[in-house]
Amino acid sequence: MYFIKKQFIYLRKNLFGSTFTPLNLDMKNTKPTIHDISKVLNIDSSTVSRALNNSPRVSKKTKDLILKKAEELGYQKNTLASNLRTSKTNTIGVIVPRISRNFFSSVISGIEETGYKGGYNVVIGQTFDNLEREQKLVSTFLSNRVDGLLISISMETTDYEHLENYKKNGGPIVFYDRPVSLKDCPSITINDFEASYKATKHLILKGCKNIVHFSGVQKINLYKNRKEGYFSALKEYNIPIREEYVFEAKLSEEDGIEFAKRILKMKHIDGIYSANDTAAISAIQYLKSNGIKIPKDISVVGFNNDPISAVIEPSLTTINQPDFEMGTIACSLLINLIENKNIQVQNLSKILTSELIVRNS
Amino acid sequence: MYFIKKQFIYLRKNLFGSTFTPLNLDMKNTKPTIHDISKVLNIDSSTVSRALNNSPRVSKKTKDLILKKAEELGYQKNTLASNLRTSKTNTIGVIVPRISRNFFSSVISGIEETGYKGGYNVVIGQTFDNLEREQKLVSTFLSNRVDGLLISISMETTDYEHLENYKKNGGPIVFYDRPVSLKDCPSITINDFEASYKATKHLILKGCKNIVHFSGVQKINLYKNRKEGYFSALKEYNIPIREEYVFEAKLSEEDGIEFAKRILKMKHIDGIYSANDTAAISAIQYLKSNGIKIPKDISVVGFNNDPISAVIEPSLTTINQPDFEMGTIACSLLINLIENKNIQVQNLSKILTSELIVRNS
DNA sequence: TAATAAAATACAATCGATTGTATTTGGTTA
DNA sequence: TAACCAAATACAATCGATTGTATTTTATTA
């Protein structure tokens, strides 16, 4: 029996073209498996597996033998098989609105850094702020058995069934930047309220009386909090709160231009606090091209500290967020949840602090 | 036998807490499989599998029955098992120097777009221009049995063993932006030579006589080609080629500043042609802060058409590349290679055309 | 109605690694 | 040297879906 097996291997390795080759199929799949190693060395595949995983149940002598042969044959573990058996993929799914936004790509870098250190692969998907895409991504991640999910929800997301489904059948979820209050799902966010308060106060102290606020979709807590912070500063300085001073949109470049047009019509606006830099910057450009002097006529504060904000003239006063750090913290928290199933999820959420960067706008 | 099986299912589904439950293990893994459907309906699992894959070998009647029950049980295919059996993952691996660069995130968007349309998941990894990271990523993609690879190599990559290994044991490779001449691996690039020629010519026609060139690592063809294009324009206008006018580095922000310092020392430089916008922009800023007028004293042309290039003052003349398109073309070519194993790989490479965008620098 | 073809379904092996249990080997003690 | 224990290894089931082959059922024709 042993001899036959050994001979079989021999044929397989050396007589490809020969008529003696058992099956042509063998030519396709030349990748060696633990069974190949097992047959060549006449050692059971279970021992081979244990040796490759450095189990204490295998003697050093056979371990060396197996490792050497594995190297020699160019063996590489078939992760698919391993994952199937252990029902663990060592993969983290990341869902992000769009990677082209500097803030998000920095968060991703933080996530990857921590993920790789912890032995996890990181898989990234973009939603482009589209709900359908988000659902599809979550579903893909679920059927690919990603061990856990890091997500910043899309602007269109109001229904959380896909997330609840993942939580139930997939694994833990950690929200970052744009949280959702879902049972047992912690979130890593920044102190939007305080940051907004500081930003608005900065404008007030510079003498602005009529400050508009560029805001995003209110279903996203982050934008609500930023609006509240803006209100709170106005209140403190006895400036009347006027709902018509709050502009809502997706805060794209086009939205910024749209808002700038509105401001020109309103005539008496002297301050802008925008919930992101993208809209602030396009608004500044439009206003400048229409003869408005920044900051003489209108002062502007943005949010995110995009690289462009330092380059535009005048350079943009904005809020800097600990983006990379947000990624590392969210990721290590998620890994913690994946590996310690019985952890208490209460009080795991974290609010990071951001800072106002005063520039020339 | 049948009855026992059926009863087993019954226990499993309804008597969780009961002492009659066969095994506690069952409580962990509640995700239904085709075997669960098979048992409940008393239909063989092979038929269930075929029904779910809409095989013509199953009658419409049983198909409906199975699909309904699958829906009812909340069945979701275990992709791991499927992938293991078919040894296909329907996944494309993308390796990118860094996603934070606008050019690359646009390429990725193009790749995702095409990938999803073709039924492929897209997995992204960043190298940060580090060889070790690149090798690790390729190895991870290989052992995760990604169906094909799209890669823009890192600046440190001079040895291609990891890629050859993937090609041999993994699947097809398509290069984009930064190609490597590896057997049977086509590439999608842009006409760097012509674009550079045009950019340099533009500076010459504006009256520049002493034009320096910011270049990248010469091992990367792209930078070599851009340098050649620059030389070729100089030659055509009988401007002496001076090797000391070519600055080489990784073209980071810091490199741009470093280069600007050199230019200040050289005194007589009146033109800069940079192989990317990042370095061009930081150089402009440094030069401006040192009293140089752009473009009066020194004219500048960049490469990439980063969003910042339109915002900086003066706005930067640069080369716009069809980034999104590069992604879609590279991806559909790769899918083609994955699905048609016997395709002729000759002449599949493609060179896209880019255009000079004249602004105020 | 019997014979036959075609359609529908069941059987069983497989993908490659993991892991609980059983068996063998080698060393130690009485 | 027999008895015993621990270390090392082998056996066999399993993860969940797929797929070639065999069998059963149904429909069709003579």
Side-chain angles (χ1 to χ4, degrees):
Chain A
M1 183 59 170
Y2 154 65
F3 182 68
I4 292 171
K5 278 193 184 170
K6 190 157 184 189
Q7 190 181 28
F8 175 76
I9 285 293
Y10 177 74
L11 284 168
R12 207 175 146 179
K13 301 244 64 136
N14 299 312
L15 299 174
F16 275 163
S18 152
T19 44
F20 293 109
T21 310
L23 273 177
N24 266 348
L25 290 172
D26 280 2
M27 296 175 70
K28 271 198 230 164
N29 214 350
T30 53
K31 268 171 266 175
T33 71
I34 51 168
H35 300 103
D36 294 320
I37 299 177
S38 158
K39 281 175 202 155
V40 174
L41 295 177
N42 199 30
I43 292 175
D44 191 80
S45 61
S46 63
T47 304
V48 174
S49 170
R50 288 195 168 96
L52 293 170
N53 288 312
N54 200 23
S55 155
R57 279 177 58 174
V58 180
S59 71
K60 179 152 185 351
K61 206 178 119 199
T62 38
K63 249 183 213 170
D64 289 346
L65 204 67
I66 290 168
L67 258 57
K68 199 182 135 221
K69 185 58 74 178
E71 175 76 37
E72 189 187 320
L73 296 180
Y75 170 81
Q76 244 196 332
K77 146 144 79 174
N78 185 327
T79 313
L80 294 177
S82 174
N83 289 348
L84 173 60
R85 183 59 230 259
T86 58
S87 63
K88 188 161 192 302
T89 56
N90 292 306
T91 301
I92 287 172
V94 179
I95 292 180
V96 82
R98 35 172 42 96
I99 54 175
S100 61
R101 291 266 168 96
N102 187 267
F103 168 74
F104 288 118
S105 63
S106 298
V107 174
I108 289 173
S109 295
I111 292 171
E112 285 195 328
E113 196 74 17
T114 312
Y116 287 133
K117 268 185 201 152
Y120 286 81
N121 294 318
V122 174
V123 178
I124 302 159
Q126 306 186 65
T127 62
F128 296 101
D129 273 317
N130 175 290
L131 174 58
E132 205 184 322
R133 259 188 133 106
E134 181 176 293
Q135 290 167 328
K136 176 117 195 285
L137 275 171
V138 171
S139 151
T140 304
F141 283 170
L142 180 55
S143 74
N144 277 297
R145 302 293 193 269
V146 151
D147 293 333
L149 200 58
L150 287 170
I151 179 169
S152 190
I153 58 164
S154 90
M155 288 215 186
E156 291 178 7
T157 307
T158 50
D159 172 74
Y160 309 121
E161 203 188 314
H162 54 304
L163 297 176
E164 278 159 356
N165 184 35
Y166 179 83
K167 181 82 181 65
K168 200 174 131 213
N169 299 306
I173 300 177
V174 171
F175 293 101
Y176 65 93
D177 194 47
R178 302 179 183 172
V180 163
S181 49
L182 212 64
K183 194 172 171 307
D184 294 339
C185 298
S187 56
I188 308 298
T189 50
I190 62 146
N191 56 344
D192 291 296
F193 182 90
E194 285 79 12
S196 271
Y197 168 83
K198 264 193 256 173
T200 313
K201 184 172 163 185
H202 171 79
L203 287 171
I204 295 171
L205 295 182
K206 278 188 78 176
C208 301
K209 303 280 180 213
N210 293 289
I211 304 168
V212 296
H213 175 45
F214 296 177
S215 184
V217 182
Q218 295 301 305
K219 290 169 288 192
I220 295 194
N221 274 322
L222 169 163
Y223 291 118
K224 218 197 252 168
N225 293 339
R226 290 184 190 172
K227 192 175 73 176
E228 299 296 338
Y230 155 78
F231 283 160
S232 135
L234 295 181
K235 213 174 288 175
E236 184 171 327
Y237 287 88
N238 295 313
I239 298 176
I241 289 171
R242 303 173 63 171
E243 287 287 353
E244 70 269 27
Y245 277 10
V246 177
F247 301 170
E248 280 176 29
K250 283 203 173 184
L251 298 179
S252 66
E253 272 186 48
E254 294 73 36
D255 293 329
I257 292 169
E258 192 50 45
F259 290 168
K261 285 181 187 162
R262 274 202 235 172
I263 287 170
L264 286 179
K265 278 195 206 128
M266 292 166 83
K267 312 239 186 239
H268 55 291
I269 298 303
D270 55 9
I272 299 173
Y273 163 51
S274 172
N276 82 6
D277 283 349
T278 310
I281 288 165
S282 66
I284 288 177
Q285 291 202 289
Y286 187 84
L287 292 172
K288 272 171 64 182
S289 70
N290 280 69
I292 304 287
K293 301 270 178 265
I294 311 283
K296 195 170 149 273
D297 303 330
I298 301 180
S299 291
V300 185
V301 176
F303 209 111
N304 274 7
N305 194 22
D306 279 351
I308 300 190
S309 68
V311 169
I312 194 178
E313 293 191 13
S315 58
L316 180 65
T317 296
T318 186
I319 303 279
N320 183 51
Q321 306 177 74
D323 36 27
F324 186 88
E325 198 191 347
M326 180 179 279
T328 59
I329 293 178
C331 189
S332 59
L333 174 54
L334 182 67
I335 291 177
N336 200 340
L337 289 174
I338 291 171
E339 296 180 354
N340 309 301
K341 306 259 180 203
N342 302 319
I343 207 171
Q344 285 295 324
V345 188
Q346 270 84 333
N347 307 322
L348 288 181
S349 293
K350 207 161 194 174
I351 299 174
L352 309 177
T353 53
S354 53
E355 42 165 2
L356 182 71
I357 297 185
V358 180
R359 296 209 185 94
N360 303 318
S361 68
Chain B
M1 184 59 170
Y2 155 65
F3 182 68
I4 292 173
K5 278 192 185 172
K6 191 159 185 188
Q7 189 179 26
F8 175 77
I9 285 294
Y10 177 74
L11 284 168
R12 205 175 148 177
K13 303 243 65 136
N14 299 312
L15 300 173
F16 275 164
S18 152
T19 44
F20 293 109
T21 309
L23 272 179
N24 264 348
L25 290 173
D26 280 3
M27 297 174 68
K28 273 198 231 165
N29 215 350
T30 53
K31 268 169 266 174
T33 70
I34 52 169
H35 300 103
D36 294 320
I37 299 176
S38 158
K39 282 174 201 157
V40 174
L41 295 177
N42 199 29
I43 292 176
D44 190 82
S45 60
S46 63
T47 305
V48 174
S49 170
R50 289 195 168 95
L52 293 171
N53 288 312
N54 200 22
S55 154
R57 280 177 58 175
V58 180
S59 71
K60 180 155 183 347
K61 207 178 117 199
T62 39
K63 251 183 214 172
D64 289 346
L65 204 66
I66 289 168
L67 259 56
K68 201 182 133 220
K69 185 58 75 180
E71 174 76 37
E72 190 185 320
L73 297 179
Y75 170 81
Q76 244 196 331
K77 146 144 79 174
N78 185 326
T79 312
L80 294 178
S82 173
N83 289 348
L84 172 60
R85 184 59 229 258
T86 59
S87 63
K88 188 161 192 301
T89 56
N90 292 305
T91 301
I92 286 171
V94 179
I95 292 181
V96 83
R98 35 174 41 95
I99 55 174
S100 61
R101 292 266 168 94
N102 187 267
F103 168 74
F104 288 117
S105 63
S106 298
V107 174
I108 289 173
S109 295
I111 293 171
E112 285 195 329
E113 196 73 17
T114 313
Y116 287 134
K117 266 185 202 152
Y120 285 81
N121 293 318
V122 175
V123 177
I124 303 158
Q126 306 185 65
T127 62
F128 296 101
D129 272 318
N130 175 291
L131 173 59
E132 206 185 321
R133 259 188 132 106
E134 181 176 294
Q135 290 167 329
K136 176 120 195 283
L137 275 170
V138 171
S139 151
T140 304
F141 283 170
L142 180 55
S143 72
N144 278 296
R145 301 296 193 269
V146 151
D147 292 334
L149 200 58
L150 288 170
I151 180 169
S152 190
I153 58 164
S154 89
M155 288 213 186
E156 292 178 7
T157 308
T158 49
D159 172 74
Y160 309 121
E161 203 189 314
H162 55 304
L163 297 175
E164 279 160 355
N165 184 35
Y166 179 84
K167 181 80 181 64
K168 199 174 131 211
N169 299 305
I173 300 177
V174 171
F175 293 100
Y176 65 93
D177 193 47
R178 300 179 185 172
V180 164
S181 48
L182 213 64
K183 196 173 170 305
D184 294 339
C185 298
S187 56
I188 310 298
T189 50
I190 63 146
N191 56 343
D192 291 296
F193 183 90
E194 285 79 12
S196 270
Y197 168 83
K198 264 193 257 173
T200 312
K201 184 172 164 185
H202 171 80
L203 287 170
I204 296 170
L205 295 182
K206 277 188 78 176
C208 300
K209 304 278 180 216
N210 292 289
I211 303 168
V212 296
H213 175 44
F214 295 176
S215 184
V217 181
Q218 294 301 305
K219 289 168 289 192
I220 295 193
N221 274 323
L222 170 163
Y223 292 118
K224 218 196 253 168
N225 293 340
R226 290 186 191 170
K227 192 174 73 174
E228 300 294 338
Y230 154 80
F231 283 160
S232 134
L234 294 182
K235 213 174 288 173
E236 184 172 329
Y237 287 88
N238 294 315
I239 298 177
I241 289 172
R242 302 172 63 173
E243 287 287 351
E244 69 270 27
Y245 278 8
V246 177
F247 300 170
E248 281 177 30
K250 283 200 172 184
L251 297 179
S252 65
E253 273 187 47
E254 294 73 36
D255 294 330
I257 292 170
E258 192 49 48
F259 291 168
K261 285 181 187 162
R262 275 202 234 171
I263 288 170
L264 286 179
K265 278 195 205 123
M266 292 166 83
K267 312 237 184 241
H268 55 289
I269 300 302
D270 56 8
I272 299 173
Y273 163 51
S274 171
N276 83 6
D277 283 350
T278 310
I281 286 166
S282 64
I284 288 178
Q285 290 202 289
Y286 187 85
L287 292 172
K288 271 171 65 182
S289 68
N290 280 69
I292 304 287
K293 301 268 176 265
I294 313 282
K296 195 171 150 272
D297 302 332
I298 302 181
S299 290
V300 185
V301 175
F303 209 111
N304 275 5
N305 194 21
D306 279 351
I308 299 191
S309 69
V311 169
I312 193 178
E313 292 191 13
S315 59
L316 180 65
T317 296
T318 186
I319 304 280
N320 184 49
Q321 306 177 74
D323 37 25
F324 186 89
E325 198 190 346
M326 181 181 277
T328 59
I329 293 177
C331 189
S332 61
L333 173 55
L334 182 67
I335 292 177
N336 200 340
L337 289 175
I338 291 170
E339 296 179 353
N340 309 302
K341 306 260 180 200
N342 302 319
I343 206 171
Q344 285 295 324
V345 187
Q346 270 85 332
N347 308 323
L348 288 180
S349 293
K350 207 163 195 174
I351 297 173
L352 310 178
T353 53
S354 52
E355 43 165 1
L356 182 71
I357 298 185
V358 179
R359 296 211 184 93
N360 304 315
S361 67

